[in-house]
Amino acid sequence: MIRRLIIMTFSILLLYACGSKSTGSDGSLDITSKFNSTWNVNESLNKNDDGTITFEAVTWGGMAGVFSKDNIPADWSGYEAIVFEFAEPTTVETQLKVTEKVIARAKKGVSSLTCYLGGQDVTSIDQVALQAAEPGTIKVKRIYLVPSSDNWYSRTLWEGECIFGDWKAGFVIEADKFNAATAGDRLEFIYTTDVSNPFISYWQFKTAYRDTDNTLEGNDYELNDWGCAMVGQGSDNFRITLTDKDVANLKEKGLFTNGYYCCVKQVNLLHKVQGERQ
């Protein structure tokens, strides 16, 4: 009861700090109004009468929102994700940059971009930016924070040390490990990124159904042309929400994972518990 009261108090304070209001029955916090500037002088941002934002982007500029108040960064540990909803499918690859470590990407043609905050250090949020991989027009419908839930149960599927290197290593999780999986569960990868080589400037994961070239459907929106998902330098937590197709294939085939210059230590299955867990 005390913990719930603390969380509620924190949410009210964040609500005040963001100058926004909670919308939706899920308690999501609309922060669209906070995005008022760009990182590049050659970009433009226009607020439309219907509440949408038209962002004319240049390569790796940014549509930015400031969340610090009186030089004190915001604490987003009470939220599990930030979501950008687009008014129309994107025509360029986009990237959401929360901190140097917390980054999410989406390929062209998506209607939303979600960056999961759970498991990451998001206690000091100053600015957040939506970026584009090439010049283009991005129309944003809504930006909001999703409140975190205490009712997630974690089951360890794999532990060890797999050092990807330059796609040299990978590992398998057998199909029977996914017997308890259901659609909406999340695969959580705990890892480190290799930052010892100054010539390495990006880090990637590839997750596929075992003995196939088919990648998981749950994070298809963020995969590049080679089926890889980018993760941030120094990040340590990567999550994929499983679809019905993912669950069926994982239960039948299992999972194969490899990537580029990451070292995986653990893989968990996160299951959202309805009501009180016995």
Side-chain angles (χ1 to χ4, degrees):
M1 184 64 183
I2 294 176
R3 184 179 180 185
R4 290 181 181 274
L5 181 59
I6 292 173
I7 293 173
M8 289 176 63
T9 302
F10 165 77
S11 299
I12 292 172
L13 290 174
L14 180 58
L15 185 75
Y16 173 76
C18 289
S20 308
K21 60 182 181 179
S22 181
T23 61
S25 59
D26 61 353
S28 59
L29 181 68
D30 193 305
I31 56 174
T32 312
S33 64
K34 299 294 291 182
F35 287 79
N36 297 311
S37 62
T38 62
W39 279 356
N40 191 297
V41 295
N42 297 314
E43 297 176 300
S44 66
L45 182 157
N46 295 299
K47 299 287 184 79
N48 305 313
D49 292 339
D50 61 359
T52 61
I53 301 173
T54 301
F55 174 41
E56 299 291 347
V58 301
T59 303
W60 302 127
M63 183 183 82
V66 177
F67 295 91
S68 59
K69 185 177 178 62
D70 298 328
N71 294 320
I72 300 175
D75 184 346
W76 282 6
S77 55
Y79 292 89
E80 68 176 43
I82 177 174
V83 182
F84 276 67
E85 289 183 356
F86 301 112
E88 55 187 50
T90 56
T91 58
V92 294
E93 179 185 346
T94 52
Q95 173 176 287
L96 177 55
K97 189 172 184 179
V98 179
T99 69
E100 291 296 330
K101 296 181 179 180
V102 185
I103 296 172
R105 284 195 176 183
K107 60 187 180 182
K108 300 177 182 180
V110 301
S111 58
S112 67
L113 170 56
T114 299
C115 181
Y116 291 107
L117 308 175
Q120 305 280 13
D121 181 6
V122 288
T123 57
S124 299
I125 305 299
D126 182 15
Q127 289 192 52
V128 173
L130 178 70
Q131 301 178 296
E134 58 186 300
T137 301
I138 303 173
K139 294 186 177 180
V140 178
K141 179 180 179 181
R142 182 186 172 212
I143 309 163
Y144 60 94
L145 291 166
V146 179
S148 62
S149 168
D150 292 331
N151 297 322
W152 286 89
Y153 173 69
S154 178
R155 180 194 304 269
T156 299
L157 302 181
W158 181 92
E159 285 185 290
E161 183 178 75
C162 183
I163 303 172
F164 291 155
D166 187 2
W167 302 101
K168 293 181 179 179
F171 63 94
V172 168
I173 300 179
E174 301 292 345
D176 60 3
K177 295 289 186 177
F178 295 96
N179 287 340
T182 59
D185 288 355
R186 295 173 184 167
L187 271 184
E188 177 184 55
F189 296 85
I190 307 298
Y191 63 96
T192 58
T193 56
D194 183 354
V195 296
S196 61
N197 188 335
F199 297 102
I200 304 302
S201 59
Y202 63 92
W203 299 262
Q204 294 180 328
F205 270 78
K206 186 168 186 178
T207 53
Y209 312 127
R210 185 182 183 183
D211 295 329
T212 77
D213 293 325
N214 300 319
T215 53
L216 268 63
E217 184 180 63
N219 69 327
D220 179 71
Y221 67 92
E222 65 179 333
L223 304 182
N224 61 21
D225 292 341
W226 297 274
C228 305
M230 193 81 70
V231 295
Q233 177 180 347
S235 60
D236 56 19
N237 189 293
F238 175 55
R239 294 181 179 184
I240 302 173
T241 300
L242 302 179
T243 66
D244 286 315
K245 178 181 177 181
D246 288 334
V247 170
N249 278 285
L250 291 171
K251 287 182 176 180
E252 178 185 353
K253 304 176 184 298
L255 176 75
F256 175 73
T257 301
N258 67 343
Y260 188 76
Y261 285 99
C262 295
C263 176
V264 181
K265 306 284 188 176
Q266 186 172 327
V267 182
N268 302 314
L269 181 68
L270 306 182
H271 176 69
K272 192 167 187 178
V273 180
Q274 302 298 323
E276 294 295 327
R277 181 162 57 91
Q278 301 296 322

